[in-house]
Amino acid sequence: MLSDSEAKELLSFLHLDTRADVRGQATEYILGLTGTRDGCRYLQTQPGFLKALITLTADSSIAIVKDCYHALINLSADETLHETLIKEADILPMLFRNLLDPEYVFADRICTILTNLTRHERTCREVFRVMQEQDVGLAKVVEIFCIEGFNKKALLHYLGPLLSNLTQLPESRHFLLDKERCVVQRLLPFTQYEGSVTRRGGVVGTLRNCCFDYMYHEWLLSDAVDILPFLLLPLAGPEELSEEENEGLPVDLQYLPEDKTREEDPDIRKMLIETLLLLTATKVGRQIMKEKNVYPIMREFHKWEKEPQVIASCEKLVQVLIRDEPEAGMENLMEVEIPQDVEQQLKDLDTKEQEQVEKETLLLLREEAEKEVVEQPNMQNPEGLER
């Protein structure tokens, strides 16, 4: 890497009052460093360069600003640099200030950086703290996420994964689930948002995290929120159900059209099922889901699904829906204490199940590859012709 004298000279070029062409070459060099693991680790020891990149996001040259954001995205993708970026380089105030600007061209890149910085709980907590200090708050993030066209120059789809990351924190979940604020209700329509798999997946991940707090399950399933149709509709297909089965379903799921399609992304389908499974953790949740006739939807989904990991999740949900209620004292599955020997047995079973899923996935991939093999045409010269 650079010697101390070379680093000092390069840093002297990374100022707003330096000639534009020199600044441009210097930022290009830093961007190149961020493309390698060794380069990122070197910059971790040089917070001056990180601070300079943040300063130059205010440059008058669009090309320079773009290079600075690309470099910051690369750096934020490396978990070991999160603390340095947040505490030493103090990146967050600049990110939040520009994120809230409805005219800011690079807001999508800011969303990506914030999503990277919140992947792990320790730095996620720090991001959440600074959000509160900067008077941004989770309410504002949800607001600009839900207002399509808030920023005419950016899509802001990566606010979805950001919200999902933030809800790994109990305080974020409690805010979204505050019964007086009606925040979670605003997110529900995005489980079927066709414009972006990133936005859709981020919202489903957010809802799944919120469902870890079982004390809200009855409220989420009640008419006050009515979460169930928003989780089931992406999993429901065009299959014809009996009149009795249709009548037992929520109104939005009754008599679906022949052209009804399911969620195309298998990871989102899996998260939707995991969210439903979490909602069966309490007795009241299981009762409501049985009364709402969830089983026929999942039965038809199971027939349609091809991805082994999604099938495994579906089968777990179906087992809960069709089996008898647990004995007294075991109604809340999240509070049941499992003996150590039984816990180990369950872990072993999970390991075996995962191995089986991986085998089935490999077989599925091989079958798909074989289908894509096209017979090669005969490349010999046609009879009677010469090259």
Side-chain angles (χ1 to χ4, degrees):
M1 290 299 161
L2 300 174
S3 66
D4 289 345
S5 59
E6 289 171 333
K8 186 175 181 181
E9 183 180 17
L10 179 61
L11 187 59
S12 70
F13 299 146
L14 295 169
H15 291 282
L16 290 170
D17 55 358
T18 307
R19 266 176 34 206
D21 59 328
V22 176
R23 289 199 311 275
Q25 290 178 11
T27 52
E28 280 183 19
Y29 182 82
I30 297 295
L31 176 58
L33 286 179
T34 66
T36 67
R37 189 180 185 84
D38 288 343
C40 286
R41 297 299 162 83
Y42 169 73
L43 291 171
Q44 185 179 12
T45 66
Q46 303 286 334
F49 285 119
L50 305 182
K51 292 176 182 177
L53 287 174
I54 293 168
T55 299
L56 289 176
T57 59
D59 200 285
S60 57
S61 165
I62 294 294
I64 290 175
V65 176
K66 186 182 292 186
D67 282 350
C68 288
Y69 274 115
H70 281 166
L72 291 170
I73 288 172
N74 290 345
L75 291 164
S76 66
D78 187 333
E79 181 192 350
T80 63
L81 274 92
H82 288 182
E83 292 276 345
T84 306
L85 284 167
I86 291 174
K87 294 188 175 178
E88 294 189 49
D90 197 26
I91 191 175
L92 294 177
M94 177 276 289
L95 295 179
F96 288 128
R97 182 175 64 253
N98 291 329
L99 177 64
L100 298 181
D101 181 352
E103 298 291 326
Y104 197 64
V105 176
F106 296 100
D108 282 331
R109 290 174 174 84
I110 288 175
C111 294
T112 302
I113 295 168
L114 287 170
T115 299
N116 285 343
L117 292 174
T118 52
R119 286 202 312 266
H120 302 283
E121 183 179 353
R122 186 174 177 181
T123 45
C124 181
R125 193 170 295 283
E126 191 65 23
V127 171
F128 183 76
R129 181 187 66 78
V130 176
M131 277 176 61
Q132 307 302 103
E133 289 180 355
Q134 295 289 316
D135 290 329
V136 178
L138 203 51
K140 191 65 178 176
V141 174
V142 172
E143 181 182 341
I144 65 176
F145 175 79
C146 292
I147 300 174
E148 284 196 74
F150 170 82
N151 187 324
K152 299 293 190 296
K153 300 174 182 177
L155 297 170
L156 305 183
H157 292 326
Y158 270 89
L159 284 179
L162 173 61
L163 286 171
S164 181
N165 290 348
L166 287 169
T167 51
Q168 67 184 291
L169 304 176
E171 49 266 53
S172 295
R173 297 196 298 273
H174 294 164
F175 175 85
L176 292 181
L177 296 170
D178 188 323
K179 296 178 183 180
E180 303 301 321
R181 294 179 187 272
C182 295
V183 179
V184 72
Q185 291 93 323
R186 299 183 67 184
L187 298 176
L188 295 178
F190 291 99
T191 63
Q192 299 168 82
Y193 183 81
E194 295 181 356
S196 167
V197 67
T198 301
R199 181 178 285 252
R200 204 163 64 241
V203 165
V204 173
T206 300
L207 296 176
R208 182 189 59 177
N209 288 347
C210 287
C211 286
F212 277 99
D213 292 335
Y214 62 83
M215 66 284 294
Y216 294 99
H217 284 184
E218 185 173 4
W219 176 69
L220 287 168
L221 290 164
S222 72
D223 292 340
V225 180
D226 199 22
I227 193 175
L228 203 52
F230 296 96
L231 300 177
L232 285 176
L233 266 171
L235 302 174
E239 295 84 7
E240 190 173 337
L241 303 178
S242 70
E243 187 170 340
E244 183 182 356
E245 287 174 335
N246 266 304
E247 291 300 326
L249 287 166
V251 174
D252 291 341
L253 285 120
Q254 293 178 8
Y255 302 102
L256 296 175
E258 292 181 359
D259 60 352
K260 172 69 174 69
T261 58
R262 290 183 169 92
E263 168 58 53
E264 63 184 25
D265 187 277
D267 291 328
I268 296 179
R269 295 199 299 271
K270 187 169 183 285
M271 284 194 293
L272 286 163
I273 295 171
E274 288 169 348
T275 308
L276 290 165
L277 189 58
L278 285 168
L279 289 168
T280 65
T282 59
K283 184 176 181 178
V284 67
R286 292 189 294 275
Q287 287 176 337
I288 292 172
M289 291 177 71
K290 289 175 182 179
E291 289 168 4
K292 297 286 188 179
N293 225 14
V294 171
Y295 171 71
I297 298 291
M298 300 316 302
R299 180 192 67 209
E300 298 304 317
F301 175 85
H302 185 267
K303 294 176 185 176
W304 172 88
E305 182 59 65
K306 297 292 187 292
E307 292 290 334
Q309 291 189 344
V310 186
I311 291 172
S313 295
C314 179
E315 289 173 351
K316 289 177 183 176
L317 175 59
V318 168
Q319 284 299 315
V320 175
L321 292 173
I322 64 175
R323 74 186 178 199
D324 295 333
E325 274 295 307
E327 61 187 70
M330 307 279 282
E331 294 92 344
N332 190 329
L333 304 180
M334 286 188 171
E335 289 185 333
V336 174
E337 290 188 15
I338 304 174
Q340 280 191 334
D341 59 330
V342 176
E343 186 176 359
Q344 187 57 50
Q345 290 174 21
L346 292 172
K347 285 180 180 178
D348 292 341
L349 286 172
D350 279 343
T351 301
K352 289 179 181 177
E353 180 184 294
Q354 184 60 33
E355 289 172 355
Q356 183 61 30
V357 166
E358 288 172 0
K359 286 179 183 178
E360 291 174 5
T361 303
L362 184 59
L363 286 172
L364 185 65
L365 290 171
R366 284 176 180 168
E367 288 174 8
E368 292 297 323
E370 288 170 3
K371 288 178 185 176
E372 292 174 4
V373 172
V374 180
E375 185 178 349
Q376 292 296 314
N378 189 334
M379 299 304 291
Q380 295 179 352
N381 291 334
E383 189 176 348
L385 296 178
E386 294 181 357
R387 286 188 173 176

